[in-house]
Amino acid sequence: MRVMAQVAMVMNLDKCIGCHTCSVTCKQTWTNRPGSEYVWFNNVETKPGTGYPRRYEDQEKWKGGWALNRRGRLTLRAGGRLRKLATIFYNPDLPSLDDFYEPWTYDYRSLTTAPLSDSFTSARPTSRLTGRDMRPARGPNWDDDLAGAAEYAAADPNLEGMSERVRMDFEHAFMFYLPRICEHCLNPSCVASCPSGAMYKREEDGIVLVDQDRCRGWRFCVSGCPYKKVYFNHRTGKAEKCTFCYPRVEAGQPTICSETCVGRLRHLGVMLYDADAVLDAASVRDDKDLYEAQLSVFLDPHDPDVAAAAERDGIAHDWMRAARRSPVYALIKKHRVALPLHPEYRTMPMVWYVPPLSPVTDAVHATGYHDDDPDRVFAAIDALRIPVEYLANLFTAGETTVVEGVLRKLTAMRAHMRARQLGDPPDQDLLGQVGASAQDIEDLYRLLAIAKYDDRYVIPRVHAEDSGALMAQHCSLDHLGGAADPAARDADRPAPPLPGLNPPGGGSRFRDGDGTVRFNLLGWNGSGPAPGLFGEGSGR
């Protein structure tokens, strides 16, 4: 057993109101630079819907994630080294800009400078890439709130085989919001797909990042990620992705999407897992067994044997304390109400979801049943507008019994807390049917309903003695004088910008501690020269 720690996230979908605040704050923090206009590290999708990029879940087309070969071994769905070598200059599995969307703005100048006229002046949409007039055809939330449901929602890959049960008529429509970020998987296919080794998973907290110095823009990481959460910056020629706000996490703060979430639906915490068991868990034969297989990888931080192994493997004591208080561990492993997104991709995702339950109460009331009758409440789950099969296609590779068990526990929690508020005694039959005690149900309620800030986000700080290794891993968004700047981390070997050598077009050149001249991308407008960016001796 080799114990490792991972900072993970759980989102309660019942609380998401689709306000897109998380998307906007993430956009302003991480992807407001030239070349990343179409990039959304965090986006909120309406389900059912085609998602962003369009139909990203159709792995028969995009070949993302892992698959088992005839001998039962994990292989990249997109092919191994030979296929990558044959397609290194043309990747047939790469989404085009049309699959994402062409970003646009509006010609506001025509509004502010238009002369007086009897006709109304309009601001035409213009492309942010070419500056030409265009007609918007799709966007990251183009089918938001089931907009154009008959045309877009019906194309959801998760609805395949369910056309008889799911109709987009008004009286039969259903929807819920699905916020998505990079999954920071335990078995990331994007890392395995990268020919240059630029993608890597940090050992200390499991965050998956891109080494901008090593990235050569082959874009196999984009096609290799089944969630399509790796993007290509056309200005820098580099791959970019969600960083899990690692500067904030290292300081013990939540990600910016979590901090600004209006619905307070996100939980952050530490998960301990057995790194030696990941391969076997990801290689189980039946897709429907992958959920249980991943659960078996997670370790109990309260177990003395696990604590001893963690100390042996270098897990700090404060990280162990955080793992014991982790809301993520409680929701995933203890209460088992959080589920992974598309475990059939075999990447072992570490952003999990509590499936939506809100329509259950409406279904119960509509049929005249009373909430305190557990049998009738549970029966209402089968009559939901949101088919259990649809949720199972999202979270359990089609295994409906797991989703039904989660919905039953959430229903029991609501019924139990309502009875408690009314002063009624606990219904032991109700609790027995979901295999939980009154204390378990009340603890789950405190996490999902009324958890305070310090209970939702339990993130240990990075250790100062490890900061040297961490600084070497920071990405291209670092800046001179910042935490990852060689001049800031080593006063004995200053590395100021080289006078007179700053190239036109923004950016700057500076000399590293070992004498290597490097180019800083921050502020580069993409049109001027970038010395050293494309390899030694390149004049571009």
Side-chain angles (χ1 to χ4, degrees), residues 6 14 31-32 36 41-42 47 89 122 157 242 267 351 363 381 384 410 443 450 454 456 478 484 501 522 536:
Q6 167 100 28
D14 257 340
T31 61
N32 60 352
S36 60
F41 288 169
N42 184 112
K47 286 295 184 181
F89 294 110
S122 62
C242 162
H267 300 74
V351 176
I381 293 175
L384 284 179
L410 296 176
D443 180 56
I450 58 175
D454 291 337
R456 284 184 287 124
D478 304 324
L501 292 181
L522 191 68
E536 295 298 329

Side-chain angles (χ1 to χ4, degrees), residues 274 277 281 291-299 333:
D274 182 3
Y291 165 68
E292 292 291 344
Q294 186 167 355
L295 280 182
S296 68
V297 171
F298 299 138
L299 302 174
K333 185 74 170 179

Side-chain angles (χ1 to χ4, degrees), residues 62 234 515:
W62 301 122
H234 59 88

Side-chain angles (χ1 to χ4, degrees), residues 66 77 158 287 290 341-346 393-394 396-398:
W66 301 87
R77 190 181 291 270
N158 300 290
D287 288 349
L290 285 166
L341 181 63
H342 289 300
E344 68 272 17
Y345 298 160
R346 299 180 181 270
N393 287 342
L394 273 174
T396 57

Side-chain angles (χ1 to χ4, degrees), residues 471-493:
M471 287 173 182
Q473 299 181 15
H474 285 194
C475 71
S476 67
L477 303 182
D478 304 324
H479 55 278
L480 292 176
D485 179 20
R489 72 173 184 255
D490 193 345
D492 294 331
R493 294 190 301 172

Side-chain angles (χ1 to χ4, degrees), residues 435-450:
S437 64
Q439 182 178 355
D440 291 336
I441 292 296
E442 291 166 13
D443 180 56
L444 179 60
Y445 174 77
R446 280 191 293 270
L447 275 175
L448 293 180
I450 58 175

Side-chain angles (χ1 to χ4, degrees), residues 153-471:
D156 187 338
N158 300 290
L159 289 177
E160 293 180 1
M162 302 175 60
S163 57
E164 294 298 324
R165 293 198 55 189
V166 178
R167 289 177 290 171
M168 292 298 115
D169 300 331
F170 177 78
E171 64 272 18
H172 299 290
F174 69 89
M175 58 166 279
F176 60 93
Y177 300 110
L178 181 70
R180 290 203 308 120
I181 64 172
C182 170
E183 297 287 332
H184 296 276
C185 309
L186 296 182
N187 185 36
S189 54
C190 60
V191 173
S193 300
C194 179
S196 58
M199 300 281 295
Y200 65 98
K201 185 175 179 65
R202 299 210 308 186
E203 182 178 352
E204 61 279 357
D205 53 19
I207 296 176
V208 178
L209 295 176
V210 184
D211 185 340
Q212 299 283 303
D213 289 333
R214 300 187 66 176
C215 179
R216 293 296 177 262
W218 297 119
R219 286 173 277 185
F220 284 107
C221 54
V222 178
S223 56
C225 173
Y227 305 98
K228 293 297 173 282
K229 278 300 177 181
V230 185
Y231 305 90
F232 179 73
N233 187 314
H234 59 88
R235 285 292 190 93
T236 64
K238 305 289 185 177
E240 297 182 4
K241 63 177 297 298
C242 162
T243 66
F244 214 75
C245 291
Y246 68 87
R248 295 177 60 91
V249 170
E250 289 172 6
Q253 299 176 356
T255 62
I256 197 66
C257 58
S258 302
E259 182 80 75
T260 58
C261 177
V262 174
R264 300 181 180 180
L265 60 98
R266 303 186 187 226
H267 300 74
L268 287 169
V270 175
M271 293 289 290
L272 301 181
Y273 67 95
D274 182 3
D276 292 335
V278 169
L279 179 60
D280 291 338
S283 304
V284 296
R285 281 284 184 183
D286 193 343
D287 288 349
K288 295 182 178 180
D289 295 332
L290 285 166
Y291 165 68
E292 292 291 344
Q294 186 167 355
L295 280 182
S296 68
V297 171
F298 299 138
L299 302 174
D300 183 359
H302 302 90
D303 187 337
D305 294 336
V306 172
E311 184 174 6
R312 178 202 65 203
D313 294 332
I315 306 297
H317 291 287
D318 57 337
W319 278 66
M320 284 299 300
R321 291 194 297 268
R324 296 185 182 106
R325 292 183 51 234
S326 172
V328 173
Y329 175 82
L331 294 172
I332 293 176
K333 185 74 170 179
K334 178 182 177 182
H335 299 296
R336 296 177 65 130
V337 296
L339 302 173
L341 181 63
H342 289 300
E344 68 272 17
Y345 298 160
R346 299 180 181 270
T347 60
M348 312 284 279
M350 290 303 290
V351 176
W352 289 41
Y353 297 86
V354 178
L357 179 67
S358 293
V360 168
T361 304
D362 295 335
V364 172
H365 291 165
T367 54
Y369 296 151
H370 198 267
D371 296 333
D372 59 4
D373 188 337
D375 292 330
R376 292 184 172 182
V377 172
F378 293 156
I381 293 175
D382 299 329
L384 284 179
R385 282 190 176 186
I386 304 179
V388 174
E389 292 85 355
Y390 181 82
L391 296 176
N393 287 342
L394 273 174
F395 301 121
T396 57
E399 181 55 60
T400 58
T401 56
V402 175
V403 177
E404 289 174 353
V406 172
L407 296 180
R408 283 172 173 263
K409 181 167 287 190
L410 296 176
T411 302
M413 178 190 71
R414 292 188 178 187
H416 174 80
M417 295 308 300
R418 185 178 295 110
R420 181 180 175 185
Q421 291 173 0
L422 295 175
D424 297 335
D427 187 338
Q428 298 301 329
D429 292 337
L430 174 66
L431 298 177
Q433 290 191 52
V434 297
S437 64
Q439 182 178 355
D440 291 336
I441 292 296
E442 291 166 13
D443 180 56
L444 179 60
Y445 174 77
R446 280 191 293 270
L447 275 175
L448 293 180
I450 58 175
K452 296 181 179 179
Y453 187 94
D454 291 337
D455 296 324
R456 284 184 287 124
Y457 310 133
V458 182
I459 311 169
R461 292 174 178 268
V462 68
H463 280 257
E465 63 269 21
D466 298 328
S467 60
L470 290 177
M471 287 173 182

